[in-house]
Amino acid sequence: MAQAGLHFDHVSIALGSTVLVALDCRLAPGEVLTVMGPSGSGKSTLLAFVGGFLDRAFTARGRVFVGDDEITNLPAEERHAGILFQDPLLFPHMSVAGNLVFAIPERISGRAERRDRAEQALEGVGLAGMGDRDPDTLSGGQKARVALARVLLSEPRTLLLDEPFSKLDADLRRQMRELVFAKARDSGLPTLLVTHDEADAEAAGGTVVRIGS
């Protein structure tokens, strides 16, 4: 299936009378838009709006499209937005493979097929053969890779990145930036990154929007 772009149609988000974010732009498949600003400036609020979990304290206007499909008023689970947070948020009671299988769409049936897809996803992030591991035995960098593989297995139509590199050390940050942005490009996923780190924006390429300055 051909991937679609992401369109922000005169989007604005306000808290009371203060407009935090105003955005009107289009992202091609595989392109990254970086929104930068200090803590509390509204970066994550924009992600919440796109993902479908914006706090009711905020007022949002405008529309969001993925391809020709407007997602502005859809429930979060129908938006097919893959989200990576600062923490990997792996399920501790499941194996690594269990975490991945959980994300595979239900239409893909058959235990063997689902397990095979999970193993392929692990290989794709450099963790071949680690499906039976307990997530607690993984390093921080390995957990981040599993979280990325899980998001990609869910077959998202867009990728939302909420400072996912911020808790990694410098070398791991560089590795994960390269991996995440390469996967986004290869998968044709329009990607929204929010960060306060200039190195993230530089690695992402594409347009940078600065808010709250």
Side-chain angles (χ1 to χ4, degrees):
M1 183 178 67
Q3 292 291 357
L6 182 64
H7 177 200
F8 296 94
D9 180 22
H10 295 90
V11 168
S12 66
I13 304 174
L15 182 60
S17 60
T18 302
V19 175
L20 302 174
V21 184
L23 202 57
D24 187 59
C25 66
R26 294 178 182 268
L27 288 181
E31 186 178 358
V32 182
L33 171 67
T34 301
V35 177
M36 298 196 68
S39 297
S41 60
K43 304 187 304 298
S44 294
T45 305
L46 176 62
L47 281 186
F49 176 59
V50 178
F53 48 94
L54 182 66
D55 191 291
R56 293 187 179 184
F58 298 91
T59 302
R61 301 182 185 278
R63 301 182 297 171
V64 180
F65 293 84
V66 178
D68 295 326
D69 301 324
E70 183 178 356
I71 65 170
T72 320
N73 298 312
L74 291 179
E77 64 273 13
E78 295 180 19
R79 299 187 183 206
H80 302 290
I83 308 175
L84 284 178
F85 295 100
Q86 293 181 21
D87 295 305
L89 303 178
L90 302 180
F91 299 121
H93 62 288
M94 294 181 179
S95 66
V96 168
N99 269 271
L100 300 188
V101 168
F102 181 84
I104 298 173
E106 290 184 0
R107 63 176 176 75
I108 300 169
S109 60
R111 183 175 179 180
E113 170 67 13
R114 292 170 70 84
R115 176 71 187 222
D116 186 56
R117 290 197 179 210
E119 291 294 347
Q120 289 180 32
L122 283 174
E123 185 175 351
V125 296
L127 298 178
M130 292 194 177
D132 292 331
R133 292 274 294 272
D134 183 325
D136 285 343
T137 68
L138 302 181
S139 67
Q142 290 171 332
K143 289 178 181 178
R145 288 170 181 262
V146 173
L148 173 61
R150 184 173 63 179
V151 163
L152 294 175
L153 276 173
S154 71
E155 299 184 353
R157 299 187 70 193
T158 185
L159 188 59
L160 308 179
L161 306 177
D162 190 0
E163 305 203 49
F165 317 116
S166 63
K167 292 191 174 181
L168 301 173
D169 65 36
D171 189 50
L172 285 176
R173 279 202 302 273
R174 179 186 57 77
Q175 294 178 29
M176 281 305 298
R177 286 185 193 114
E178 292 176 358
L179 180 61
V180 169
F181 297 133
K183 291 291 186 182
R185 286 192 301 271
D186 293 346
S187 302
L189 291 172
T191 300
L192 175 62
L193 166 69
V194 300
T195 184
H196 64 272
D197 190 336
E198 295 285 352
D200 288 350
E202 182 178 350
T207 303
V208 178
V209 174
R210 300 178 188 275
I211 64 175
S213 54

